[in-house]
Amino acid sequence: MSKFADKLRNLSESSGAPIGFHPAVSEVRSPSMLFVVGLSESQVKEARTVSDLAADAGLIVSKGTGAKTVKQVVEAVGDVPLGVTVKGMREKEIDELVSLGCDFVVFDIGEGVAILGRKEVGKLLMIEPSLDQGLVRAINSFEVDGVLIGGGDSVISVERLLVSRRFVELLEKPVITMLPSFVTKEELVSLWQGGVDGVVASTQSTEALAELKKMLGDLPKRVRNRRTTAAVVLPRYGGDIGGEEDEQEEKVQP
């Protein structure tokens, strides 16, 4: 079972009950947003930063990374879950990644459907901000653990925020987004307010990543309600029904 998929699942648990239900709840404190450090194939030495910062995961964003590199990065990040971006990989190659310690894979909508059936590894579907909303909604029927919004924006634009919020509304899956090389606290707050569950930061200096993690830690904590039991509460119309019945009974009394 994917450790990172478990983190996503725990973070994205429902924060409220559906309309018409009154739950018995117990509050559970969750992290504000998950912190994923993005790595390129050439940054094996920097991979130790992922462990040093106690990130929630590392992700090799370069497509087609060789088994030797994956093995080295897995060893460098230690117990931190590592994901690999895959492109056109055969099942045998994915099996090799899993055997090397790969925790989850990231793939786009052009990948073969066989990857959806893999149970031994976590799965994130990368989508572009321009993806049709009907297709975005259809992702809910797929066996994936979350969605990663790609794109190479240099800043967190208003359009990016709108797209993120819209995807969060359409999807029943956790939503993660790629960050530009520089991001402010105000931009992180905007993403958090929009319901984004995690961010992928490109590898920068250790100091810059440490500052980013601090900003994430300073975000307001999400208080989520873990629903244990639910009883249906029917809507009431036209005021107090019981009061009307009492009045009718009084009128028919002799």
Side-chain angles (χ1 to χ4, degrees):
M1 178 62 69
S2 167
K3 293 189 293 184
F4 185 61
D6 285 342
K7 291 184 178 184
L8 279 175
R9 191 175 302 109
N10 292 334
L11 181 66
S12 62
E13 285 178 348
S14 175
S15 58
I19 295 175
F21 286 80
H22 180 69
V25 299
S26 59
E27 291 187 349
V28 178
R29 282 286 181 178
S30 298
S32 300
M33 297 172 77
L34 296 186
F35 176 41
V36 181
V37 177
L39 300 162
S40 69
E41 188 175 3
S42 61
Q43 293 173 316
V44 175
K45 292 182 179 179
E46 289 84 352
R48 191 172 297 277
T49 302
V50 178
S51 178
D52 293 341
L53 291 173
D56 293 294
L59 171 62
I60 300 178
V61 296
S62 305
K63 297 179 181 179
T65 305
K68 180 180 179 181
T69 299
V70 172
K71 181 179 180 180
Q72 292 174 334
V73 177
V74 167
E75 293 174 351
V77 300
D79 293 332
V80 178
L82 177 70
V84 178
T85 304
V86 299
K87 179 69 174 178
M89 279 193 172
R90 294 170 295 180
E91 292 190 46
K92 182 178 180 180
E93 294 172 305
I94 295 178
D95 288 338
E96 184 177 15
L97 290 179
V98 175
S99 67
L100 292 172
C102 173
D103 183 79
F104 64 98
V105 293
V106 176
F107 56 96
D108 61 28
I109 60 176
E111 196 68 20
V113 297
I115 197 170
L116 295 173
R118 306 308 297 262
K119 303 292 186 182
E120 70 279 13
V121 64
K123 299 178 290 291
L124 293 183
L125 179 62
M126 179 182 286
I127 61 177
E128 295 301 317
S130 59
L131 186 64
D132 178 79
Q133 292 185 6
L135 294 180
V136 173
R137 189 181 290 107
I139 295 172
N140 292 321
S141 63
F142 286 178
E143 292 294 327
V144 295
D145 300 296
V147 171
L148 172 60
I149 304 176
D153 299 345
S154 58
V155 295
I156 301 295
S157 63
V158 174
E159 181 181 12
R160 182 75 173 194
L161 288 177
L162 290 172
V163 169
S164 299
R165 287 182 179 231
R166 186 55 176 155
F167 284 178
V168 168
E169 292 173 356
L170 293 172
L171 289 164
E172 300 169 4
K173 311 283 185 180
V175 175
I176 302 174
T177 188
M178 300 287 293
L179 288 182
S181 56
F182 177 77
V183 64
T184 66
K185 183 175 181 178
E186 289 72 20
E187 290 170 333
L188 287 177
V189 170
S190 296
L191 291 172
W192 176 84
Q193 290 174 334
V196 173
D197 296 291
V199 294
V200 178
S202 58
T203 301
Q204 309 164 37
S205 66
T206 303
E207 293 75 16
L209 288 173
E211 178 62 24
L212 174 58
K213 183 181 179 183
K214 181 179 183 302
M215 288 193 292
L216 289 169
D218 289 340
L219 291 173
K221 295 297 181 182
R222 300 191 184 197
V223 179
R224 299 186 178 273
N225 295 325
R226 188 185 302 276
R227 187 165 66 247
T228 54
T229 59
V232 176
V233 178
L234 298 177
R236 300 171 60 183
Y237 303 97
D240 192 337
I241 297 176
E244 295 177 355
E245 292 177 348
D246 291 341
E247 291 181 359
Q248 292 176 354
E249 289 179 358
E250 291 176 358
K251 289 180 180 179
V252 300
Q253 289 179 355

